[in-house]
Amino acid sequence: MRLVRYGERGAEKPGLIDAEGRLRDLSAHVPDLAGEVLADLSALKAIDPRTLPPVEGSPRLGACVGQVGKFIGIGLNYADHAAETGLRVPREPVIFAKYTSCLSGPDDPIIIPRGSVKTDWEVELAFVIGRKGRYIPEEEAMSHIAGFCVCNDVSERNYQAERSGQWSKGKSSDNFGPLGPWLVTPDEVADPGNLRMRLTVNGEVMQDGSTATMVFKVPFLVSYLSQFFTLHPGDVVTTGTPPGVGMAMDPPRFLKAGDVVELEVEGLGRQRQLCVDDA
């Protein structure tokens, strides 16, 4: 299934994309794609999409999961990205928080915060927890995942690396966490460890990589994170980025108002964001 949330910000409704690519309304069956709804999607899978009301027009798409409890980032998780930044591949996953107030829809604007001088892009594969778990064995990890989606881990590098403290202040500005367009259930993702990833800025290819160069794979990450805290339905983990980020260019290149960022992960859909200055 390709699940979506559509409508005005803060009032999104659940929906799905049918085999013909048409948006259909799920709100008569579930209140939101969130929490315990994600723990068991079997009832939704049993619905014939043709029986659902079609949604007319082209409504805004919101983040593809609602009521997110934890939004966890994994840093330096691609060997080729670590190499371009001049940093060693970590012995264990680097974990940081993206505060949930940064969540936005896949085509909402990237808001460049006041005083920003180094706003950067990162195309990433994200997964959403479906089944609650603690101390999850790696061989059981995939059964705890509700689905996969595209994430742009937008990052302000000056705030992240040069303003002291943890990375989260550079990762959590408003609209720095576009998720979607769809939450794709695991049965439709043949191999999350081998998906093409691509990002352009103003039509110029910046990132063109694959999840095949991911250091710590998805099952390991689920198990690893669960050793430190309980994973709950709706928690989001974004798993790192391939090479081609702006800070690693010579000279470095960063986003400015008017730039258009487009990104995709194979089988998971596309995002498009216009960069705007914060009011």
Side-chain angles (χ1 to χ4, degrees):
M1 287 189 299
R2 293 178 293 170
L3 300 169
V4 300
R5 298 172 69 247
Y6 68 95
E8 295 301 313
R9 190 166 192 148
E12 292 92 347
K13 296 181 178 180
L16 62 75
I17 305 297
D18 68 18
E20 287 73 43
R22 191 168 190 180
L23 173 59
R24 293 183 178 268
D25 181 29
L26 273 174
S27 58
H29 297 270
V30 291
D32 199 359
L33 298 174
E36 291 305 316
V37 169
L38 298 170
D40 184 2
L41 295 173
S42 59
L44 296 186
K45 290 180 180 179
I47 298 171
D48 182 348
R50 294 171 297 181
T51 66
L52 298 171
V55 178
E56 301 301 329
S58 300
R60 168 190 174 270
L61 296 183
C64 59
V65 58
Q67 303 173 36
V68 175
K70 295 189 282 294
F71 191 1
I72 302 164
I74 307 296
L76 299 174
N77 195 30
Y78 282 67
D80 40 8
H81 172 56
E84 76 169 348
T85 62
L87 298 171
R88 293 181 180 178
V89 173
R91 291 179 297 176
E92 296 187 36
V94 174
I95 301 171
F96 59 89
K98 286 179 76 75
Y99 300 130
T100 57
S101 57
C102 80
L103 285 164
S104 57
D107 300 324
D108 290 344
I110 291 173
I111 301 173
I112 299 176
R114 295 179 188 177
S116 167
V117 292
K118 296 182 179 180
T119 296
D120 205 348
W121 56 82
E122 293 190 13
V123 59
E124 303 201 359
L125 168 71
F127 61 83
V128 177
I129 295 297
R131 187 157 64 93
K132 179 180 177 181
R134 183 83 194 271
Y135 306 120
I136 300 168
E138 191 170 343
E139 60 271 18
E140 298 177 11
M142 294 299 290
S143 69
H144 288 263
I145 293 177
F148 296 92
C149 60
V150 182
C151 176
N152 188 357
D153 178 20
V154 186
S155 307
E156 213 299 341
R157 305 300 188 185
N158 174 254
Y159 299 173
Q160 176 186 353
E162 302 169 38
R163 297 286 297 272
S164 185
Q166 301 299 312
W167 287 9
S168 295
K169 72 174 81 172
K171 297 283 192 173
S172 301
S173 291
D174 292 354
N175 285 33
F176 269 26
L179 287 183
W182 317 313
L183 179 66
V184 182
T185 51
D187 57 297
E188 295 196 14
V189 182
D191 182 3
N194 189 26
L195 300 175
R196 178 121 180 245
M197 315 166 75
R198 194 168 187 267
L199 181 145
T200 66
V201 178
N202 301 328
E204 181 181 353
V205 176
M206 300 298 178
Q207 294 184 275
D208 190 356
S210 169
T211 59
T213 64
M214 190 184 292
V215 178
F216 302 108
K217 306 297 185 182
V218 170
F220 177 84
L221 290 173
V222 173
S223 178
Y224 180 85
L225 293 170
S226 75
Q227 307 308 306
F228 302 99
F229 39 76
T230 299
L231 295 173
H232 292 91
D235 286 348
V236 177
V237 181
T238 189
T239 60
T241 198
V245 296
M247 71 172 181
M249 294 181 175
D250 186 14
R253 177 172 172 179
F254 299 107
L255 295 171
K256 62 184 185 303
D259 286 342
V260 175
V261 181
E262 297 179 271
L263 58 150
E264 61 184 315
V265 177
E266 180 182 354
L268 304 182
R270 298 173 58 91
Q271 299 185 356
R272 183 183 188 275
Q273 295 121 18
L274 173 67
C275 297
V276 301
D277 287 328
D278 202 354

